[in-house]
Amino acid sequence: MVKNAPLPISSFPTPHLTVDVVLLTIDQGAMKVLLMRRTCEPFADHLVLPGGFVREHQTLDATARWVLAEKARLPDVEAEQLYTFSEPARDPRGWVVSVAHFALVPASRLRAVLTDAGEDADLQLAAISVEPSGEVSLALEGEVIEPGFDHLSIIATAVERIRGKLDWSMAAFALLPPEFTLYDVQRVHEVILGRPVNKAHFRKRMLERPMPDGRRLIATGKFQRGHHRPAELYKLEEHAA
Amino acid sequence: MVKNAPLPISSFPTPHLTVDVVLLTIDQGAMKVLLMRRTCEPFADHLVLPGGFVREHQTLDATARWVLAEKARLPDVEAEQLYTFSEPARDPRGWVVSVAHFALVPASRLRAVLTDAGEDADLQLAAISVEPSGEVSLALEGEVIEPGFDHLSIIATAVERIRGKLDWSMAAFALLPPEFTLYDVQRVHEVILGRPVNKAHFRKRMLERPMPDGRRLIATGKFQRGHHRPAELYKLEEHAA
DNA sequence: CTAATAGTGTCTGTTAGACACTATATA
DNA sequence: TATATAGTGTCTAACAGACACTATTAG
């Protein structure tokens, strides 16, 4: 695989390079990940992360966006690079290195895609369980499932990453609709961290401290009516631009 | 995107895959990075990060260790994966994707390698300056230098990463000899963070809190004699195994 | 009214920085 | 002695969790 640019770069074999995307959401009080059912070997009929080969003259980010748009039918979703997986045996077909990315989307938007696409798209939302030890497992309608390739490791890495950056990032808001109650935000944090957080303190902190990008939470004056006392809806301040 | 088992995987071109290593150290009160002088085009005579192609049946970690051992003459140094750089124009020779790693080593050990190898090895230690804005620049003996390829971006990413994890990691100890004074540790933190830290509080925290791996700092009873009051030497507790 | 959820006030322990203080070596 | 560096004690502010309290809706 010698390049014809000024000089040959090297005579060694080159790997196939792919991007796999861990699309996380919070649905019914649980972290879930989008998987696709494979139709061919290897791992035919297994569920795997959506992914695709990196094309020449394309960046990894662009490939991740392409995967999200084409395979998950989610244009306009940003992905962040997670880790590059290179175990030689990770793909039985040969030498395939995968740059894992992760992305966050509100369950409402994902549900729309799933029902719109119907079942023919073979898109599934698997629930993620995280042991206190950090071990991760997946379940579909209560049944534990084993994803293909090394994709369980990739998902575990994504969970670890989002837990680590939750506090100083806007991650929670990427998982929520544009307007939300403070309890919604708290529940997102609790689900991701896998433990309860202090209500009074959490609310104070969210309202007093601006987000990493400088924006604050502002009350909309609107209320979410439920069976009991309505909760006020908040939104992120507009971008200062 | 044909995926017939077992081969071929895809008919698209595949990229060259390399590993570049950001080897950081603290020397004379400054963060420094190990660079090598290139002898051929492109960027002939420029300084660049040590790196190498990933071979088939090798992991990225193994490649990073190989680069450290062969190019920097530092066997037994561990590298951590940093970020994968994929800008199509980053290498004028063609499509080269690089998985950047970073590693930490005490200046004493690096100095030994540099003097031992002599200047024929073309290894250089460049000082890293970090603006409050986060912008990074390199200097060699006071002269600002521009490394080849996108390696300045890679170094900036490494600085950002080590700043972020300094507090909860053992990073400082990888940059120090086995025995050190508490001031040594404080100075490492100050250089990396680019700001002073509180002496009394820093010492208390270092002595009271175990490291992430559970080990504590223990006094050796030995003292480093200088021009004034000697400072006690500490070391990391032995591994519990 | 009660039940249930929304939201607040107050206490307490921990962490961090400021800053002044003591301690001990060399010269 | 002076001086520079090593190391500590104390105050204060910010932060986080515990927990009880008030507030407002549906029914």
Side-chain angles (χ1 to χ4, degrees):
Chain A
M1 191 78 44
V2 177
K3 294 274 103 187
N4 49 1
L7 285 174
I9 302 181
S10 89
S11 53
F12 297 116
T14 56
H16 295 270
L17 190 65
T18 66
V19 163
D20 289 312
V21 178
V22 181
L23 184 72
L24 292 176
T25 196
I26 308 277
D27 184 43
Q28 296 171 329
M31 245 190 304
K32 297 192 178 176
V33 58
L34 184 75
L35 300 175
M36 301 180 67
R37 193 166 297 280
R38 275 181 72 84
T39 54
C40 49
E41 291 297 334
F43 295 106
D45 235 44
H46 279 67
L47 287 164
V48 296
L49 296 170
F53 288 96
V54 181
R55 310 291 180 85
E56 200 168 1
H57 308 120
Q58 265 214 337
T59 62
L60 297 167
D61 272 2
T63 307
R65 279 195 298 273
W66 179 87
V67 167
L68 282 165
E70 295 301 313
K71 303 231 171 171
R73 311 186 188 203
L74 287 164
D76 313 316
V77 172
E78 284 300 313
E80 177 175 332
Q81 194 185 113
L82 178 62
Y83 197 79
T84 301
F85 292 81
S86 64
E87 272 300 318
R90 60 179 297 278
D91 189 321
R93 292 169 297 180
W95 190 14
V96 181
V97 171
S98 175
V99 184
H101 285 64
F102 77 91
L104 305 169
V105 122
S108 52
R109 181 151 180 222
L110 205 44
R111 284 248 159 263
V113 170
L114 291 181
T115 58
D116 188 54
E119 290 306 317
D120 50 69
D122 275 323
L123 295 173
Q124 299 279 350
L125 259 190
I128 304 177
S129 303
V130 186
E131 302 302 314
S133 67
E135 202 184 344
V136 162
S137 61
L138 298 180
L140 212 56
E141 289 158 20
E143 295 285 311
V144 171
I145 59 168
E146 295 285 343
F149 300 104
D150 55 354
H151 289 188
L152 190 60
S153 303
I154 296 180
I155 292 165
T157 305
V159 170
E160 194 182 340
R161 170 76 64 93
I162 192 180
R163 281 189 169 185
K165 41 179 307 186
L166 187 58
D167 243 34
W168 322 288
S169 78
M170 319 261 304
F173 305 110
L175 291 164
L176 290 168
E179 299 191 347
F180 42 80
T181 71
L182 290 184
Y183 248 41
D184 290 336
V185 186
Q186 183 177 343
R187 271 186 287 262
V188 166
H189 278 249
E190 288 180 333
V191 167
I192 291 178
L193 297 177
R195 58 174 175 81
V197 309
N198 183 267
K199 180 171 57 166
H201 175 63
F202 183 84
R203 300 174 71 89
K204 232 180 303 180
R205 182 157 69 78
M206 286 311 269
L207 293 177
E208 283 171 6
R209 277 226 293 256
M211 299 299 113
D213 67 353
R215 289 189 287 170
R216 300 174 155 279
L217 289 192
I218 51 182
T220 61
K222 289 184 274 187
F223 286 83
Q224 185 181 72
R225 304 186 70 83
H227 294 293
H228 301 285
R229 174 174 173 177
E232 183 153 25
L233 288 166
Y234 289 79
K235 61 180 179 182
L236 269 174
E237 198 175 14
E238 302 300 330
H239 265 299
Chain B
M1 189 92 31
V2 180
K3 295 184 185 173
N4 289 340
L7 285 173
I9 303 182
S10 89
S11 51
F12 298 117
T14 56
H16 294 269
L17 190 65
T18 67
V19 163
D20 289 312
V21 178
V22 181
L23 184 72
L24 292 175
T25 195
I26 308 277
D27 183 41
Q28 295 172 329
M31 248 191 300
K32 298 193 177 173
V33 59
L34 183 75
L35 300 175
M36 302 181 68
R37 194 167 298 279
R38 273 181 74 83
T39 53
C40 52
E41 293 293 339
F43 295 104
D45 235 43
H46 277 68
L47 288 163
V48 295
L49 295 170
F53 288 95
V54 181
R55 310 291 180 85
E56 201 169 1
H57 307 122
Q58 265 214 335
T59 61
L60 297 167
D61 272 2
T63 306
R65 279 195 299 272
W66 178 87
V67 168
L68 283 165
E70 295 301 314
K71 304 231 172 173
R73 310 185 189 202
L74 287 165
D76 312 317
V77 172
E78 284 300 313
E80 177 175 330
Q81 194 185 114
L82 178 62
Y83 196 78
T84 300
F85 292 81
S86 64
E87 272 300 317
R90 62 179 296 279
D91 190 320
R93 292 170 297 181
W95 190 15
V96 182
V97 170
S98 175
V99 184
H101 286 63
F102 76 93
L104 305 169
V105 121
S108 51
R109 179 150 183 220
L110 206 41
R111 283 247 159 265
V113 170
L114 293 181
T115 58
D116 187 53
E119 291 305 318
D120 50 67
D122 276 324
L123 294 172
Q124 299 279 350
L125 259 190
I128 305 177
S129 303
V130 187
E131 304 301 316
S133 67
E135 203 183 342
V136 163
S137 60
L138 297 182
L140 211 56
E141 288 158 21
E143 295 284 310
V144 171
I145 59 168
E146 295 286 343
F149 301 105
D150 55 353
H151 289 189
L152 189 60
S153 302
I154 296 179
I155 292 165
T157 306
V159 170
E160 194 182 340
R161 170 76 63 92
I162 193 182
R163 282 189 168 184
K165 43 179 308 187
L166 186 59
D167 243 33
W168 320 287
S169 78
M170 320 260 305
F173 304 110
L175 292 164
L176 290 169
E179 299 191 346
F180 42 79
T181 70
L182 290 184
Y183 249 41
D184 290 336
V185 187
Q186 183 178 342
R187 272 186 287 262
V188 167
H189 278 251
E190 289 180 333
V191 167
I192 292 178
L193 297 177
R195 59 174 176 81
V197 308
N198 183 265
K199 180 171 58 164
H201 174 62
F202 184 83
R203 299 174 71 90
K204 232 180 305 180
R205 183 156 69 79
M206 286 312 267
L207 292 177
E208 285 172 2
R209 278 226 292 256
M211 300 298 112
D213 68 354
R215 290 189 286 170
R216 300 174 154 279
L217 289 193
I218 52 182
T220 61
K222 289 183 274 187
F223 287 83
Q224 185 179 75
R225 305 184 70 84
H227 295 292
H228 301 285
R229 173 174 175 178
E232 182 153 25
L233 288 166
Y234 289 80
K235 62 180 180 182
L236 268 175
E237 198 174 12
E238 302 299 331
H239 266 298

